[in-house]
Amino acid sequence: MLGVSTERREAYRTPFCFVVTCSPNVCAVQKLIGTNRKYFTNCKQWYQRKICGKSTVISYECCPGYEKVPGEKGCPAALPLSNIYETLGVVGSATTQLYSDRSNLRPEIEGPGSFTIFAPSNEAWASLPAETLDSLVSNVNIELLNALRYHMVNKRVLTDDLKHGTTLNSMYQDLPIQIHHYPNGIVTVNCARLLKADHHATNGVVHVIDKVISTTTNSIQQVIETEESLETLRAAVAASDLNSLLESEGQYTLLAPTNEAFEKIPRETLNRILGDPEALRDLLNHHILKSAMCAEAIIAGLTMETLEGTTLDVGCSGEELTLNGKAIIANKDVLATNGVVHFVNELLIPDSAKTLFELAQESEVSKSTDFFRQAGLSSHLTGSEQVTLLAPVNDVFKDGLPVVDSNMKNLLLNHIVRDQLSSKYLYHGQKLQTLGDKELRVFVYRNNLCIENACIAAHDKRGRFGTLFIMDKMLTPPSGSVMDVLKADHRFSTLVAAIQSAGLTENLNRPGTFTVFAPTNEAFRAMPQGELNKLMGNAKELANILKFHVADEILVSGAVGALVRLKSMQGDKLEVSMKNNVIHINKEPVAESDIMATNGVIYAVNSVLQPQASRPQERGDEPADPALEIFKQASALSKVSQRNPRLAPVYSRLLARMKENSGGF
């Protein structure tokens, strides 16, 4: 640029260009394969190399205001500045230049002043509906001139000045132009994307945009009121008193469900929501994003927060916008004074407006809902009763649903907890009351949150009246103390007799939090007969062994990771581990896990566990031989005394003591 300082030239470079350091003034452009769409890439987009899931190719061209010189690298030659009219022809907006001439705007943009023009590209003019373009060019001195002046601002505005959520007063009746500058670097003007920015002219600056923009005078509420396809939405907004919000100042995105979208919903579900003011308000707020999001700003998936407090995944696939991965946007970028409207042809029902039955049917516990329906319990999942459903995942029923009888129905009732809960407020030792009049315990572990033997496998789903807890297995409510459960199971008859013989019955009947690794009859039969007889004949030793099988805290299988250590009531440590989906205790496999009792949990094991000191090869309960101990000391001391003569007298006395204890050895 002639007569412009180095610093000023650097300031003029567009932030939309990636300047290739090895070649001066060369900018990178991402071209979307198979289309004419170009993105003058900034650093935030550079490494993505995809636009809306489609691959791009990188090409290079001279940055604005520079050109190539034969035989030299890059674009070293700075071009002289021209006025805005001349610049339009250089930057790919020759149609705007032509219409400026026809509408008599040319003298103004050739003359003195400081203007900004958002110039539609040639392709933007060509994509206008024929009737719209005809109405403009048939009245060039009024309609076309006004349209062009609406694209202009009476001052120089660079992209750095285009702040998100701001407005600029246009040169047509000072009507506002909405600016959005998104975190991904894309800038939109009334939802038209800046293609090439900051082309300087002697009397201003030119930004090339991808659409012809039009004036906006309607609020979002007025858009709803004037669109025939939004009649049902209009009635719903009125019933929920959201009119004032959609008329107020702000920058919102309304994902407006069409009449067709409402018609796709089962009539019973739609009537329920429309008749419930709270559910209806949640439904509508779920369709309102907290900020204005133009379609052109979406080049990859992003998560956006709704007024309801939930999030939606907004993305794109090729030319289509997507919501939660589905291409359901029928009409996009209907601009309003307080945001933007996208028409959607499917209703987005948030969890907070759904029944428990609907929540479960749409998740990985759909088989559970069939189970509850077969048991005649659907009314608890579809009504206004405040409950929490503990629903096992579908994998639990991979072999089919169990037969529903009276016992199974009672068990299912115990999977429905009174009150609408949230797992984040549950605490260790909490008691939950079920519709089957059972009391369930909550266990909080380092790696899991469990209710009795079943652990929560996924995040809660909170509905209108009920909450869904997705559980990893069927629940087993406790049905008696540890002793009651052992007595009722014929596999443990020998253990029950041993407990009674050792005087531990009362311990395992009292309230507590026990984990019992219960040897089966098979485990006792596997012991050598002599060792078994000796154990059963020594009450003290028997009690010691049995206490080694009991820990004074409840550990369900869902809390077992690679290794968990428990302190037994005997005092030694127990090591509980998981290997190939099988629980092991002290490296011995467990035959059955999670037999629940009111005061603990029982694991069936097919071996009798031995404390460290009681293992045959390491027994430490035999009386020590004094002579042997002295000999060991003497042997060790003799080696030292041979190296140190001063210890010889001590060694002699130790030998004398050994002779006394051994009767002359």
Side-chain angles (χ1 to χ4, degrees), residues 73-132:
K73 288 185 176 181
C75 304
L79 296 172
L81 292 182
S82 302
N83 59 52
I84 286 178
Y85 179 80
E86 296 294 337
T87 303
L88 288 172
V90 174
V91 298
S93 191
T95 306
T96 304
Q97 185 186 48
L98 173 65
Y99 289 154
S100 299
D101 191 21
R102 288 186 182 181
S103 64
N104 291 320
L105 180 65
R106 176 175 177 175
E108 186 171 8
I109 60 176
E110 281 184 328
S114 182
F115 309 109
T116 296
I117 183 167
F118 297 103
S121 66
N122 297 333
E123 293 80 8
W125 287 107
S127 65
L128 277 180
E131 62 273 15
T132 303

Side-chain angles (χ1 to χ4, degrees), residues 178 191 216 218-225 227 229-230 233 246 251-258 287-288 291-295 321 329-344:
Q178 294 184 26
C191 284
T216 302
N218 287 340
S219 67
I220 292 177
Q221 178 61 31
Q222 289 170 321
V223 171
I224 295 173
E225 290 173 353
E227 285 287 342
S229 63
L230 302 180
L233 175 62
L246 298 178
Q251 286 293 304
Y252 304 107
T253 299
L254 173 64
L255 305 169
T258 61
H287 287 76
I288 304 173
S291 60
M293 179 56 67
C294 297
L321 286 186
I329 294 181
N331 186 17
K332 58 191 178 185
D333 287 346
V334 177
L335 202 65
T337 55
N338 56 347
V340 61
V341 181
H342 304 295
F343 290 29
V344 296

Side-chain angles (χ1 to χ4, degrees), residues 44-159:
K44 292 180 181 178
Q45 301 165 350
W46 177 254
Y47 294 105
Q48 295 180 12
R49 299 298 294 269
K50 283 183 179 291
I51 303 291
C52 291
K54 304 295 183 181
S55 296
T56 61
V57 293
I58 303 297
S59 62
Y60 304 96
E61 60 184 52
C62 292
C63 293
Y66 295 88
E67 67 178 358
K68 295 180 179 180
V69 174
E72 295 190 28
K73 288 185 176 181
C75 304
L79 296 172
L81 292 182
S82 302
N83 59 52
I84 286 178
Y85 179 80
E86 296 294 337
T87 303
L88 288 172
V90 174
V91 298
S93 191
T95 306
T96 304
Q97 185 186 48
L98 173 65
Y99 289 154
S100 299
D101 191 21
R102 288 186 182 181
S103 64
N104 291 320
L105 180 65
R106 176 175 177 175
E108 186 171 8
I109 60 176
E110 281 184 328
S114 182
F115 309 109
T116 296
I117 183 167
F118 297 103
S121 66
N122 297 333
E123 293 80 8
W125 287 107
S127 65
L128 277 180
E131 62 273 15
T132 303
L133 188 57
D134 287 345
S135 68
L136 291 173
V137 299
S138 64
N139 190 351
V140 293
N141 292 326
I142 297 177
E143 295 295 335
L144 184 57
L145 177 62
N146 290 341
L148 289 172
R149 289 179 67 82
Y150 182 64
H151 288 72
M152 295 177 63
V153 177
N154 197 17
K155 61 180 178 179
R156 186 190 303 267
V157 183
L158 302 178
T159 50

Side-chain angles (χ1 to χ4, degrees), residues 1-18:
M1 297 179 188
L2 299 178
V4 180
S5 69
T6 302
E7 292 79 6
R8 187 63 171 163
R9 288 200 299 271
E10 291 300 319
Y12 280 177
R13 289 186 183 174
T14 170
F16 281 66
C17 289
F18 180 91

Side-chain angles (χ1 to χ4, degrees), residues 205-226:
V205 63
V206 178
H207 304 288
V208 181
I209 58 178
D210 71 342
K211 293 185 183 71
V212 178
I213 63 174
S214 56
T215 58
T216 302
T217 56
N218 287 340
S219 67
I220 292 177
Q221 178 61 31
Q222 289 170 321
V223 171
I224 295 173
E225 290 173 353
T226 56

Side-chain angles (χ1 to χ4, degrees), residues 2 29 41 122 230 232 245 320 368 377 398 401 428 444-445 452 518 534 536 573 624 629 648:
L2 299 178
V29 183
T41 306
N122 297 333
L230 302 180
T232 308
L245 172 72
E320 294 186 313
S368 287
L377 301 176
K398 60 186 177 183
L401 296 175
H428 192 75
V444 179
Y445 299 104
E452 293 298 333
K534 182 179 179 182
M536 292 301 188
K573 293 287 185 182
E629 290 301 309

